[in-house]
Amino acid sequence: MLSIVRRRLYSTSWKLIDHCPQPEYDTGCTHCKPKLPEHLAINTQRDLNNTKAAPYKHVLVLSHGYSSLDTMEPGISKHVGSLAYQIHHLNPDFHDPKYPVQVSNIILPNQEEILHRFNMTEGDNLVYLYPDNKAVKFKKDQLETFVKKYLKHDEIDDDIKYPHLNLDKININLTYDHFYEEAIAKHLVLICAHGLTDRRCGIMGPLIQDEFHHVLRKESIRREVSVGLVSHIGGHAYAGNVVYFPRDCLRNRDMIWYGRVGPKQVQGIVKETIMNRNVIKSLLRGDPELYR
């Protein structure tokens, strides 16, 4: 049975601002400048805009079996047996270059609690799916059905496929033979920290995550935002890389990709992007024209 409590219908709106504001206070490491290996300098010259196109769907895997990115192999889509590998090696008919699917492994601070709440067994997968803004649990032997149901483009207009719902307090519980869905109630911030793929991400990621925790607590919105780490998402040279998924995510332009983020930029991202719905052009790896 599908139960949806609707608050109000509206379209996600963004405003574009040119620059990230300077921090207003020091949490203790706001102005830290981590030392990176000399041969792994961050590219500060290239314009970040249009260095990353948001995928048609982003699959974030929680049931990958790792407790830390420190032991997660690089190239997760090449690791035989992983969900990323299985999705990328399914029937080529599922793949459409115009509607790319990205698969990442994520580590959340309360991941074990989440897995326990979903009553995971050895035969289950659990993913967060965007821009659908839902958690999906399904049996491992139903992967092809999952791909057809959630990842294959079906030519339906996005405005019809993703109705303009505010998911802040929507409660969705949809149970049938092999799938369980639940709306994601919190904003999600993911920081690339996959050190075995690139040391820049491994060094920068945890510092940025700590700064987000401090700032969110200071701004009294810590309970509204989940902050985690993600496997490589592309763009080592632009570390730190941060992806923001709002809790009312409706379409792929609502997945905000930032680069060259350090602790100093976190206050600006929290206040402008998360709290005020402003996209920061100087950090944006996507297309700024989508937000004008």
Side-chain angles (χ1 to χ4, degrees), residues 20-31 208 211-216 218-219 221 261-276 280 283:
C20 187
Q22 294 295 310
E24 298 175 359
Y25 51 85
D26 189 350
T27 67
C29 198
T30 298
H31 299 280
I208 298 169
E211 186 69 6
F212 266 104
H213 286 152
H214 288 307
V215 174
L216 291 169
K218 175 81 172 178
E219 302 300 328
I221 59 169
V261 175
K264 188 177 179 180
Q265 284 74 41
V266 169
Q267 286 181 43
I269 293 172
V270 169
K271 290 187 176 182
E272 293 299 334
T273 302
I274 298 178
M275 299 175 68
N276 294 326
I280 303 168
L283 302 178

PDB file of all heavy atoms in Angstrom, residues 20-31 208 211-216 218-219 221 261-276 280 283:
ATOM      1  N   CYS A  20      31.703  32.231  -3.093  1.00  0.00           N
ATOM      2  CA  CYS A  20      31.454  31.692  -1.749  1.00  0.00           C
ATOM      3  C   CYS A  20      31.848  32.746  -0.721  1.00  0.00           C
ATOM      4  O   CYS A  20      32.970  33.264  -0.762  1.00  0.00           O
ATOM      5  CB  CYS A  20      32.287  30.418  -1.548  1.00  0.00           C
ATOM      6  SG  CYS A  20      31.936  29.543  -0.006  1.00  0.00           S
ATOM      7  N   PRO A  21      30.964  33.091   0.200  1.00  0.00           N
ATOM      8  CA  PRO A  21      31.310  34.108   1.206  1.00  0.00           C
ATOM      9  C   PRO A  21      32.411  33.623   2.148  1.00  0.00           C
ATOM     10  O   PRO A  21      32.587  32.421   2.355  1.00  0.00           O
ATOM     11  CB  PRO A  21      29.991  34.336   1.949  1.00  0.00           C
ATOM     12  CG  PRO A  21      29.194  33.095   1.715  1.00  0.00           C
ATOM     13  CD  PRO A  21      29.579  32.590   0.365  1.00  0.00           C
ATOM     14  N   GLN A  22      33.123  34.561   2.701  1.00  0.00           N
ATOM     15  CA  GLN A  22      34.182  34.238   3.664  1.00  0.00           C
ATOM     16  C   GLN A  22      33.568  33.726   4.976  1.00  0.00           C
ATOM     17  O   GLN A  22      32.452  34.120   5.339  1.00  0.00           O
ATOM     18  CB  GLN A  22      35.037  35.476   3.953  1.00  0.00           C
ATOM     19  CG  GLN A  22      35.841  35.959   2.756  1.00  0.00           C
ATOM     20  CD  GLN A  22      36.881  34.938   2.326  1.00  0.00           C
ATOM     21  OE1 GLN A  22      37.651  34.430   3.142  1.00  0.00           O
ATOM     22  NE2 GLN A  22      36.904  34.625   1.038  1.00  0.00           N
ATOM     23  N   PRO A  23      34.253  32.825   5.674  1.00  0.00           N
ATOM     24  CA  PRO A  23      33.721  32.330   6.949  1.00  0.00           C
ATOM     25  C   PRO A  23      33.609  33.441   7.982  1.00  0.00           C
ATOM     26  O   PRO A  23      34.412  34.373   8.003  1.00  0.00           O
ATOM     27  CB  PRO A  23      34.743  31.269   7.365  1.00  0.00           C
ATOM     28  CG  PRO A  23      35.997  31.609   6.617  1.00  0.00           C
ATOM     29  CD  PRO A  23      35.562  32.229   5.330  1.00  0.00           C
ATOM     30  N   GLU A  24      32.603  33.320   8.829  1.00  0.00           N
ATOM     31  CA  GLU A  24      32.343  34.344   9.849  1.00  0.00           C
ATOM     32  C   GLU A  24      32.944  33.969  11.195  1.00  0.00           C
ATOM     33  O   GLU A  24      33.027  34.808  12.092  1.00  0.00           O
ATOM     34  CB  GLU A  24      30.835  34.543  10.002  1.00  0.00           C
ATOM     35  CG  GLU A  24      30.160  35.038   8.715  1.00  0.00           C
ATOM     36  CD  GLU A  24      28.651  35.112   8.854  1.00  0.00           C
ATOM     37  OE1 GLU A  24      28.136  34.760   9.945  1.00  0.00           O
ATOM     38  OE2 GLU A  24      27.973  35.512   7.887  1.00  0.00           O
ATOM     39  N   TYR A  25      33.350  32.727  11.381  1.00  0.00           N
ATOM     40  CA  TYR A  25      33.930  32.286  12.652  1.00  0.00           C
ATOM     41  C   TYR A  25      34.879  31.125  12.382  1.00  0.00           C
ATOM     42  O   TYR A  25      34.895  30.548  11.284  1.00  0.00           O
ATOM     43  CB  TYR A  25      32.832  31.874  13.645  1.00  0.00           C
ATOM     44  CG  TYR A  25      31.827  30.894  13.089  1.00  0.00           C
ATOM     45  CD1 TYR A  25      32.059  29.513  13.099  1.00  0.00           C
ATOM     46  CD2 TYR A  25      30.610  31.344  12.547  1.00  0.00           C
ATOM     47  CE1 TYR A  25      31.132  28.619  12.577  1.00  0.00           C
ATOM     48  CE2 TYR A  25      29.683  30.451  12.022  1.00  0.00           C
ATOM     49  CZ  TYR A  25      29.951  29.099  12.049  1.00  0.00           C
ATOM     50  OH  TYR A  25      29.030  28.221  11.523  1.00  0.00           O
ATOM     51  N   ASP A  26      35.675  30.792  13.374  1.00  0.00           N
ATOM     52  CA  ASP A  26      36.657  29.715  13.247  1.00  0.00           C
ATOM     53  C   ASP A  26      36.253  28.569  14.177  1.00  0.00           C
ATOM     54  O   ASP A  26      36.146  28.747  15.395  1.00  0.00           O
ATOM     55  CB  ASP A  26      38.047  30.223  13.620  1.00  0.00           C
ATOM     56  CG  ASP A  26      39.147  29.214  13.299  1.00  0.00           C
ATOM     57  OD1 ASP A  26      38.822  28.049  12.970  1.00  0.00           O
ATOM     58  OD2 ASP A  26      40.334  29.587  13.388  1.00  0.00           O
ATOM     59  N   THR A  27      35.996  27.409  13.611  1.00  0.00           N
ATOM     60  CA  THR A  27      35.607  26.253  14.416  1.00  0.00           C
ATOM     61  C   THR A  27      36.816  25.568  15.063  1.00  0.00           C
ATOM     62  O   THR A  27      36.661  24.676  15.876  1.00  0.00           O
ATOM     63  CB  THR A  27      34.892  25.206  13.549  1.00  0.00           C
ATOM     64  OG1 THR A  27      35.821  24.650  12.611  1.00  0.00           O
ATOM     65  CG2 THR A  27      33.717  25.822  12.812  1.00  0.00           C
ATOM     66  N   GLY A  28      38.002  25.988  14.670  1.00  0.00           N
ATOM     67  CA  GLY A  28      39.222  25.343  15.140  1.00  0.00           C
ATOM     68  C   GLY A  28      40.091  24.897  13.982  1.00  0.00           C
ATOM     69  O   GLY A  28      41.319  24.848  14.087  1.00  0.00           O
ATOM     70  N   CYS A  29      39.452  24.572  12.863  1.00  0.00           N
ATOM     71  CA  CYS A  29      40.216  24.179  11.676  1.00  0.00           C
ATOM     72  C   CYS A  29      39.650  24.806  10.401  1.00  0.00           C
ATOM     73  O   CYS A  29      39.912  24.341   9.297  1.00  0.00           O
ATOM     74  CB  CYS A  29      40.255  22.656  11.543  1.00  0.00           C
ATOM     75  SG  CYS A  29      41.570  22.062  10.437  1.00  0.00           S
ATOM     76  N   THR A  30      38.872  25.867  10.578  1.00  0.00           N
ATOM     77  CA  THR A  30      38.261  26.522   9.423  1.00  0.00           C
ATOM     78  C   THR A  30      39.317  27.008   8.435  1.00  0.00           C
ATOM     79  O   THR A  30      39.110  26.963   7.219  1.00  0.00           O
ATOM     80  CB  THR A  30      37.387  27.699   9.882  1.00  0.00           C
ATOM     81  OG1 THR A  30      36.336  27.189  10.713  1.00  0.00           O
ATOM     82  CG2 THR A  30      36.789  28.446   8.707  1.00  0.00           C
ATOM     83  N   HIS A  31      40.451  27.457   8.945  1.00  0.00           N
ATOM     84  CA  HIS A  31      41.491  28.022   8.092  1.00  0.00           C
ATOM     85  C   HIS A  31      42.666  27.059   7.905  1.00  0.00           C
ATOM     86  O   HIS A  31      43.739  27.486   7.452  1.00  0.00           O
ATOM     87  CB  HIS A  31      41.969  29.358   8.660  1.00  0.00           C
ATOM     88  CG  HIS A  31      40.882  30.393   8.753  1.00  0.00           C
ATOM     89  ND1 HIS A  31      40.468  31.143   7.660  1.00  0.00           N
ATOM     90  CD2 HIS A  31      40.093  30.772   9.794  1.00  0.00           C
ATOM     91  CE1 HIS A  31      39.494  31.951   8.036  1.00  0.00           C
ATOM     92  NE2 HIS A  31      39.239  31.743   9.319  1.00  0.00           N
ATOM     93  N   ILE A 208      37.143  18.090   5.617  1.00  0.00           N
ATOM     94  CA  ILE A 208      35.925  18.779   5.190  1.00  0.00           C
ATOM     95  C   ILE A 208      34.712  18.216   5.918  1.00  0.00           C
ATOM     96  O   ILE A 208      33.817  18.959   6.342  1.00  0.00           O
ATOM     97  CB  ILE A 208      35.753  18.654   3.662  1.00  0.00           C
ATOM     98  CG1 ILE A 208      36.922  19.313   2.944  1.00  0.00           C
ATOM     99  CG2 ILE A 208      34.434  19.283   3.213  1.00  0.00           C
ATOM    100  CD1 ILE A 208      36.978  19.012   1.455  1.00  0.00           C
ATOM    101  N   GLU A 211      34.570  19.636   9.372  1.00  0.00           N
ATOM    102  CA  GLU A 211      34.147  21.037   9.362  1.00  0.00           C
ATOM    103  C   GLU A 211      32.641  21.152   9.139  1.00  0.00           C
ATOM    104  O   GLU A 211      31.972  21.988   9.771  1.00  0.00           O
ATOM    105  CB  GLU A 211      34.912  21.809   8.282  1.00  0.00           C
ATOM    106  CG  GLU A 211      34.653  23.304   8.281  1.00  0.00           C
ATOM    107  CD  GLU A 211      35.233  24.033   9.489  1.00  0.00           C
ATOM    108  OE1 GLU A 211      35.948  23.395  10.301  1.00  0.00           O
ATOM    109  OE2 GLU A 211      34.963  25.245   9.620  1.00  0.00           O
ATOM    110  N   PHE A 212      32.084  20.314   8.267  1.00  0.00           N
ATOM    111  CA  PHE A 212      30.629  20.315   8.083  1.00  0.00           C
ATOM    112  C   PHE A 212      29.926  20.001   9.402  1.00  0.00           C
ATOM    113  O   PHE A 212      28.935  20.655   9.759  1.00  0.00           O
ATOM    114  CB  PHE A 212      30.217  19.301   7.016  1.00  0.00           C
ATOM    115  CG  PHE A 212      30.070  19.871   5.640  1.00  0.00           C
ATOM    116  CD1 PHE A 212      31.032  19.648   4.669  1.00  0.00           C
ATOM    117  CD2 PHE A 212      28.965  20.644   5.308  1.00  0.00           C
ATOM    118  CE1 PHE A 212      30.895  20.174   3.393  1.00  0.00           C
ATOM    119  CE2 PHE A 212      28.816  21.190   4.038  1.00  0.00           C
ATOM    120  CZ  PHE A 212      29.794  20.949   3.078  1.00  0.00           C
ATOM    121  N   HIS A 213      30.407  19.003  10.130  1.00  0.00           N
ATOM    122  CA  HIS A 213      29.774  18.658  11.404  1.00  0.00           C
ATOM    123  C   HIS A 213      29.799  19.848  12.369  1.00  0.00           C
ATOM    124  O   HIS A 213      28.796  20.149  13.020  1.00  0.00           O
ATOM    125  CB  HIS A 213      30.486  17.459  12.033  1.00  0.00           C
ATOM    126  CG  HIS A 213      30.188  16.164  11.351  1.00  0.00           C
ATOM    127  ND1 HIS A 213      31.057  15.097  11.322  1.00  0.00           N
ATOM    128  CD2 HIS A 213      29.099  15.752  10.663  1.00  0.00           C
ATOM    129  CE1 HIS A 213      30.514  14.100  10.651  1.00  0.00           C
ATOM    130  NE2 HIS A 213      29.339  14.478  10.239  1.00  0.00           N
ATOM    131  N   HIS A 214      30.944  20.546  12.455  1.00  0.00           N
ATOM    132  CA  HIS A 214      31.056  21.693  13.359  1.00  0.00           C
ATOM    133  C   HIS A 214      30.103  22.815  12.948  1.00  0.00           C
ATOM    134  O   HIS A 214      29.412  23.399  13.790  1.00  0.00           O
ATOM    135  CB  HIS A 214      32.495  22.217  13.363  1.00  0.00           C
ATOM    136  CG  HIS A 214      33.476  21.345  14.071  1.00  0.00           C
ATOM    137  ND1 HIS A 214      33.294  20.909  15.369  1.00  0.00           N
ATOM    138  CD2 HIS A 214      34.659  20.815  13.658  1.00  0.00           C
ATOM    139  CE1 HIS A 214      34.317  20.149  15.744  1.00  0.00           C
ATOM    140  NE2 HIS A 214      35.153  20.077  14.717  1.00  0.00           N
ATOM    141  N   VAL A 215      30.075  23.117  11.648  1.00  0.00           N
ATOM    142  CA  VAL A 215      29.258  24.243  11.174  1.00  0.00           C
ATOM    143  C   VAL A 215      27.772  23.932  11.292  1.00  0.00           C
ATOM    144  O   VAL A 215      26.980  24.783  11.723  1.00  0.00           O
ATOM    145  CB  VAL A 215      29.633  24.600   9.722  1.00  0.00           C
ATOM    146  CG1 VAL A 215      28.685  25.660   9.172  1.00  0.00           C
ATOM    147  CG2 VAL A 215      31.075  25.085   9.644  1.00  0.00           C
ATOM    148  N   LEU A 216      27.373  22.732  10.938  1.00  0.00           N
ATOM    149  CA  LEU A 216      25.952  22.360  11.039  1.00  0.00           C
ATOM    150  C   LEU A 216      25.480  22.413  12.492  1.00  0.00           C
ATOM    151  O   LEU A 216      24.344  22.804  12.768  1.00  0.00           O
ATOM    152  CB  LEU A 216      25.736  20.966  10.453  1.00  0.00           C
ATOM    153  CG  LEU A 216      25.918  20.846   8.935  1.00  0.00           C
ATOM    154  CD1 LEU A 216      25.953  19.384   8.516  1.00  0.00           C
ATOM    155  CD2 LEU A 216      24.799  21.577   8.197  1.00  0.00           C
ATOM    156  N   LYS A 218      26.807  24.385  14.804  1.00  0.00           N
ATOM    157  CA  LYS A 218      26.794  25.815  15.131  1.00  0.00           C
ATOM    158  C   LYS A 218      25.534  26.488  14.603  1.00  0.00           C
ATOM    159  O   LYS A 218      24.942  27.360  15.261  1.00  0.00           O
ATOM    160  CB  LYS A 218      28.030  26.473  14.517  1.00  0.00           C
ATOM    161  CG  LYS A 218      28.111  27.970  14.658  1.00  0.00           C
ATOM    162  CD  LYS A 218      28.628  28.400  16.003  1.00  0.00           C
ATOM    163  CE  LYS A 218      28.889  29.901  16.037  1.00  0.00           C
ATOM    164  NZ  LYS A 218      29.347  30.354  17.365  1.00  0.00           N
ATOM    165  N   GLU A 219      25.083  26.081  13.404  1.00  0.00           N
ATOM    166  CA  GLU A 219      23.906  26.675  12.775  1.00  0.00           C
ATOM    167  C   GLU A 219      22.610  26.002  13.218  1.00  0.00           C
ATOM    168  O   GLU A 219      21.527  26.326  12.720  1.00  0.00           O
ATOM    169  CB  GLU A 219      24.024  26.605  11.250  1.00  0.00           C
ATOM    170  CG  GLU A 219      25.257  27.300  10.683  1.00  0.00           C
ATOM    171  CD  GLU A 219      25.304  28.781  11.002  1.00  0.00           C
ATOM    172  OE1 GLU A 219      24.216  29.396  11.101  1.00  0.00           O
ATOM    173  OE2 GLU A 219      26.411  29.316  11.163  1.00  0.00           O
ATOM    174  N   ILE A 221      21.371  23.046  12.633  1.00  0.00           N
ATOM    175  CA  ILE A 221      20.640  22.233  11.653  1.00  0.00           C
ATOM    176  C   ILE A 221      21.292  20.857  11.502  1.00  0.00           C
ATOM    177  O   ILE A 221      21.092  20.182  10.497  1.00  0.00           O
ATOM    178  CB  ILE A 221      20.538  22.940  10.279  1.00  0.00           C
ATOM    179  CG1 ILE A 221      21.917  23.237   9.713  1.00  0.00           C
ATOM    180  CG2 ILE A 221      19.701  24.185  10.375  1.00  0.00           C
ATOM    181  CD1 ILE A 221      21.868  23.696   8.257  1.00  0.00           C
ATOM    182  N   VAL A 261      36.799  22.574  -2.753  1.00  0.00           N
ATOM    183  CA  VAL A 261      36.243  22.907  -1.437  1.00  0.00           C
ATOM    184  C   VAL A 261      37.256  22.545  -0.363  1.00  0.00           C
ATOM    185  O   VAL A 261      37.817  21.444  -0.360  1.00  0.00           O
ATOM    186  CB  VAL A 261      34.926  22.148  -1.186  1.00  0.00           C
ATOM    187  CG1 VAL A 261      34.423  22.402   0.239  1.00  0.00           C
ATOM    188  CG2 VAL A 261      33.868  22.546  -2.204  1.00  0.00           C
ATOM    189  N   GLY A 262      37.496  23.469   0.529  1.00  0.00           N
ATOM    190  CA  GLY A 262      38.288  23.214   1.721  1.00  0.00           C
ATOM    191  C   GLY A 262      37.472  23.573   2.943  1.00  0.00           C
ATOM    192  O   GLY A 262      36.325  24.036   2.815  1.00  0.00           O
ATOM    193  N   PRO A 263      38.008  23.390   4.135  1.00  0.00           N
ATOM    194  CA  PRO A 263      37.255  23.782   5.334  1.00  0.00           C
ATOM    195  C   PRO A 263      36.772  25.231   5.292  1.00  0.00           C
ATOM    196  O   PRO A 263      35.684  25.544   5.796  1.00  0.00           O
ATOM    197  CB  PRO A 263      38.267  23.565   6.464  1.00  0.00           C
ATOM    198  CG  PRO A 263      39.168  22.483   5.952  1.00  0.00           C
ATOM    199  CD  PRO A 263      39.298  22.748   4.480  1.00  0.00           C
ATOM    200  N   LYS A 264      37.543  26.104   4.655  1.00  0.00           N
ATOM    201  CA  LYS A 264      37.201  27.535   4.607  1.00  0.00           C
ATOM    202  C   LYS A 264      35.906  27.799   3.855  1.00  0.00           C
ATOM    203  O   LYS A 264      35.222  28.795   4.110  1.00  0.00           O
ATOM    204  CB  LYS A 264      38.357  28.295   3.958  1.00  0.00           C
ATOM    205  CG  LYS A 264      38.227  29.802   4.001  1.00  0.00           C
ATOM    206  CD  LYS A 264      39.462  30.454   3.399  1.00  0.00           C
ATOM    207  CE  LYS A 264      39.355  31.977   3.400  1.00  0.00           C
ATOM    208  NZ  LYS A 264      40.559  32.604   2.801  1.00  0.00           N
ATOM    209  N   GLN A 265      35.529  26.927   2.915  1.00  0.00           N
ATOM    210  CA  GLN A 265      34.321  27.132   2.112  1.00  0.00           C
ATOM    211  C   GLN A 265      33.065  26.508   2.725  1.00  0.00           C
ATOM    212  O   GLN A 265      31.962  26.722   2.216  1.00  0.00           O
ATOM    213  CB  GLN A 265      34.522  26.543   0.706  1.00  0.00           C
ATOM    214  CG  GLN A 265      35.390  27.371  -0.218  1.00  0.00           C
ATOM    215  CD  GLN A 265      36.868  27.292   0.124  1.00  0.00           C
ATOM    216  OE1 GLN A 265      37.376  26.229   0.438  1.00  0.00           O
ATOM    217  NE2 GLN A 265      37.555  28.425   0.055  1.00  0.00           N
ATOM    218  N   VAL A 266      33.216  25.739   3.791  1.00  0.00           N
ATOM    219  CA  VAL A 266      32.081  24.979   4.319  1.00  0.00           C
ATOM    220  C   VAL A 266      30.988  25.885   4.858  1.00  0.00           C
ATOM    221  O   VAL A 266      29.795  25.654   4.614  1.00  0.00           O
ATOM    222  CB  VAL A 266      32.554  23.966   5.388  1.00  0.00           C
ATOM    223  CG1 VAL A 266      31.357  23.360   6.125  1.00  0.00           C
ATOM    224  CG2 VAL A 266      33.386  22.869   4.737  1.00  0.00           C
ATOM    225  N   GLN A 267      31.343  26.933   5.590  1.00  0.00           N
ATOM    226  CA  GLN A 267      30.311  27.835   6.121  1.00  0.00           C
ATOM    227  C   GLN A 267      29.481  28.445   4.992  1.00  0.00           C
ATOM    228  O   GLN A 267      28.256  28.555   5.097  1.00  0.00           O
ATOM    229  CB  GLN A 267      30.955  28.956   6.948  1.00  0.00           C
ATOM    230  CG  GLN A 267      31.450  28.507   8.302  1.00  0.00           C
ATOM    231  CD  GLN A 267      32.052  29.649   9.102  1.00  0.00           C
ATOM    232  OE1 GLN A 267      31.499  30.749   9.139  1.00  0.00           O
ATOM    233  NE2 GLN A 267      33.183  29.390   9.747  1.00  0.00           N
ATOM    234  N   GLY A 268      30.146  28.826   3.917  1.00  0.00           N
ATOM    235  CA  GLY A 268      29.428  29.403   2.791  1.00  0.00           C
ATOM    236  C   GLY A 268      28.482  28.413   2.146  1.00  0.00           C
ATOM    237  O   GLY A 268      27.354  28.760   1.771  1.00  0.00           O
ATOM    238  N   ILE A 269      28.912  27.152   2.000  1.00  0.00           N
ATOM    239  CA  ILE A 269      28.059  26.123   1.405  1.00  0.00           C
ATOM    240  C   ILE A 269      26.847  25.860   2.294  1.00  0.00           C
ATOM    241  O   ILE A 269      25.714  25.744   1.819  1.00  0.00           O
ATOM    242  CB  ILE A 269      28.861  24.832   1.166  1.00  0.00           C
ATOM    243  CG1 ILE A 269      29.917  25.059   0.079  1.00  0.00           C
ATOM    244  CG2 ILE A 269      27.938  23.684   0.780  1.00  0.00           C
ATOM    245  CD1 ILE A 269      30.874  23.904  -0.096  1.00  0.00           C
ATOM    246  N   VAL A 270      27.072  25.775   3.600  1.00  0.00           N
ATOM    247  CA  VAL A 270      25.962  25.507   4.517  1.00  0.00           C
ATOM    248  C   VAL A 270      24.954  26.647   4.478  1.00  0.00           C
ATOM    249  O   VAL A 270      23.744  26.422   4.323  1.00  0.00           O
ATOM    250  CB  VAL A 270      26.488  25.290   5.953  1.00  0.00           C
ATOM    251  CG1 VAL A 270      25.318  25.282   6.952  1.00  0.00           C
ATOM    252  CG2 VAL A 270      27.265  23.970   6.045  1.00  0.00           C
ATOM    253  N   LYS A 271      25.446  27.873   4.602  1.00  0.00           N
ATOM    254  CA  LYS A 271      24.525  29.004   4.691  1.00  0.00           C
ATOM    255  C   LYS A 271      23.868  29.333   3.355  1.00  0.00           C
ATOM    256  O   LYS A 271      22.658  29.601   3.294  1.00  0.00           O
ATOM    257  CB  LYS A 271      25.264  30.230   5.235  1.00  0.00           C
ATOM    258  CG  LYS A 271      25.646  30.088   6.708  1.00  0.00           C
ATOM    259  CD  LYS A 271      26.215  31.377   7.259  1.00  0.00           C
ATOM    260  CE  LYS A 271      26.491  31.252   8.748  1.00  0.00           C
ATOM    261  NZ  LYS A 271      27.010  32.512   9.331  1.00  0.00           N
ATOM    262  N   GLU A 272      24.652  29.320   2.293  1.00  0.00           N
ATOM    263  CA  GLU A 272      24.103  29.734   1.003  1.00  0.00           C
ATOM    264  C   GLU A 272      23.349  28.609   0.296  1.00  0.00           C
ATOM    265  O   GLU A 272      22.219  28.802  -0.159  1.00  0.00           O
ATOM    266  CB  GLU A 272      25.221  30.269   0.094  1.00  0.00           C
ATOM    267  CG  GLU A 272      25.838  31.562   0.587  1.00  0.00           C
ATOM    268  CD  GLU A 272      24.834  32.689   0.676  1.00  0.00           C
ATOM    269  OE1 GLU A 272      23.827  32.666  -0.059  1.00  0.00           O
ATOM    270  OE2 GLU A 272      25.050  33.612   1.496  1.00  0.00           O
ATOM    271  N   THR A 273      23.956  27.441   0.201  1.00  0.00           N
ATOM    272  CA  THR A 273      23.345  26.371  -0.598  1.00  0.00           C
ATOM    273  C   THR A 273      22.307  25.582   0.192  1.00  0.00           C
ATOM    274  O   THR A 273      21.191  25.379  -0.270  1.00  0.00           O
ATOM    275  CB  THR A 273      24.428  25.433  -1.149  1.00  0.00           C
ATOM    276  OG1 THR A 273      25.352  26.195  -1.941  1.00  0.00           O
ATOM    277  CG2 THR A 273      23.819  24.331  -2.001  1.00  0.00           C
ATOM    278  N   ILE A 274      22.680  25.125   1.395  1.00  0.00           N
ATOM    279  CA  ILE A 274      21.751  24.284   2.157  1.00  0.00           C
ATOM    280  C   ILE A 274      20.623  25.111   2.776  1.00  0.00           C
ATOM    281  O   ILE A 274      19.452  24.726   2.719  1.00  0.00           O
ATOM    282  CB  ILE A 274      22.505  23.494   3.245  1.00  0.00           C
ATOM    283  CG1 ILE A 274      23.536  22.562   2.589  1.00  0.00           C
ATOM    284  CG2 ILE A 274      21.533  22.692   4.119  1.00  0.00           C
ATOM    285  CD1 ILE A 274      24.368  21.757   3.574  1.00  0.00           C
ATOM    286  N   MET A 275      20.956  26.251   3.345  1.00  0.00           N
ATOM    287  CA  MET A 275      19.958  27.035   4.058  1.00  0.00           C
ATOM    288  C   MET A 275      19.211  28.022   3.160  1.00  0.00           C
ATOM    289  O   MET A 275      18.019  28.263   3.362  1.00  0.00           O
ATOM    290  CB  MET A 275      20.615  27.772   5.232  1.00  0.00           C
ATOM    291  CG  MET A 275      21.240  26.836   6.266  1.00  0.00           C
ATOM    292  SD  MET A 275      22.136  27.689   7.594  1.00  0.00           S
ATOM    293  CE  MET A 275      20.796  28.502   8.450  1.00  0.00           C
ATOM    294  N   ASN A 276      19.897  28.601   2.163  1.00  0.00           N
ATOM    295  CA  ASN A 276      19.280  29.666   1.364  1.00  0.00           C
ATOM    296  C   ASN A 276      19.044  29.289  -0.095  1.00  0.00           C
ATOM    297  O   ASN A 276      18.569  30.121  -0.862  1.00  0.00           O
ATOM    298  CB  ASN A 276      20.148  30.929   1.425  1.00  0.00           C
ATOM    299  CG  ASN A 276      20.198  31.533   2.810  1.00  0.00           C
ATOM    300  OD1 ASN A 276      19.215  31.472   3.547  1.00  0.00           O
ATOM    301  ND2 ASN A 276      21.334  32.096   3.174  1.00  0.00           N
ATOM    302  N   ILE A 280      26.631  28.240  -5.725  1.00  0.00           N
ATOM    303  CA  ILE A 280      27.837  29.072  -5.738  1.00  0.00           C
ATOM    304  C   ILE A 280      28.608  28.813  -7.030  1.00  0.00           C
ATOM    305  O   ILE A 280      29.212  27.749  -7.204  1.00  0.00           O
ATOM    306  CB  ILE A 280      28.704  28.778  -4.510  1.00  0.00           C
ATOM    307  CG1 ILE A 280      27.897  29.002  -3.225  1.00  0.00           C
ATOM    308  CG2 ILE A 280      29.951  29.656  -4.513  1.00  0.00           C
ATOM    309  CD1 ILE A 280      28.564  28.470  -1.968  1.00  0.00           C
ATOM    310  N   LEU A 283      32.401  27.616  -7.236  1.00  0.00           N
ATOM    311  CA  LEU A 283      32.698  26.247  -6.806  1.00  0.00           C
ATOM    312  C   LEU A 283      32.009  25.203  -7.677  1.00  0.00           C
ATOM    313  O   LEU A 283      32.323  24.013  -7.575  1.00  0.00           O
ATOM    314  CB  LEU A 283      32.245  26.024  -5.351  1.00  0.00           C
ATOM    315  CG  LEU A 283      32.830  26.942  -4.281  1.00  0.00           C
ATOM    316  CD1 LEU A 283      32.225  26.602  -2.919  1.00  0.00           C
ATOM    317  CD2 LEU A 283      34.354  26.820  -4.223  1.00  0.00           C
TER     318      LEU A 283
END
